[in-house]
Amino acid sequence: MRVALPIDEDKGLDSIISNVFARANKFIIIDLIDHDIKDYEIFDNEARTFSHGAGPVAIKILVDKGVDAILAPEIGLGTRELIKEKGLKLYLIKPGKKVSEVIKEVY
C-alpha cells in the first residue's frame, strides 16, 4: 500500500504533518508492506503555487505516483469528492505530529 501525507519540511519520517493538504510544501509517500514501512519518497508539491484548483492537481500528482490512501488534516469538499471518485482511501489526522507517529496510529 502507498500512502501520502502533506508535510512542510523534509525531515524523513520525522517530518511534521502540515496543517494543510493541497498547499503543503511537500508530500511524503510511504510504501507499507504488512503495516511496516518499507520505503518512502519526499517531493515538492507543485500544486501549492496554483491560485485555484490546487486540490485536484495535488490528487492527480498522487494518483500518478500510485497512491492508495491519503492521510491529511484538512481536505476541501471538492477534493474529498475527487478522492472518492478515484477510489482512494482518506484518513483525517491531526496536524503537528511526526509522520512516523501517524503511520503507527493509523496502520
Side-chain angles (χ1 to χ4, degrees):
M1 173 174 269
R2 298 195 94 199
V3 300
L5 302 94
I7 60 174
D8 288 320
E9 290 184 277
D10 181 351
K11 293 186 177 179
L13 296 173
D14 288 332
S15 299
I16 303 297
I17 302 298
S18 177
N19 291 328
V20 293
F21 171 69
R23 301 215 183 270
N25 289 330
K26 299 177 181 297
F27 285 111
I28 182 170
I29 295 179
I30 300 174
D31 292 312
L32 296 170
I33 298 177
D34 296 326
H35 306 286
D36 292 325
I37 297 171
K38 294 301 176 193
D39 198 10
Y40 69 88
E41 95 176 89
I42 295 175
F43 58 94
D44 290 335
N45 174 16
E46 297 173 22
R48 76 182 179 280
T49 61
F50 283 49
S51 58
H52 299 286
V57 173
I59 295 300
K60 179 176 181 351
I61 291 166
L62 297 175
V63 166
D64 288 350
K65 288 188 171 280
V67 166
D68 303 298
I70 294 171
L71 287 71
E74 182 179 324
I75 301 278
L77 185 58
T79 302
R80 279 185 198 225
E81 289 301 313
L82 185 56
I83 288 169
K84 188 185 302 182
E85 182 181 303
K86 296 293 182 182
L88 304 175
K89 292 184 182 191
L90 173 62
Y91 298 93
L92 295 179
I93 58 173
K94 292 185 179 180
K97 291 187 172 187
K98 290 182 182 180
V99 168
S100 58
E101 293 171 359
V102 171
I103 292 297
K104 286 179 187 174
E105 290 173 8
V106 175
Y107 294 97

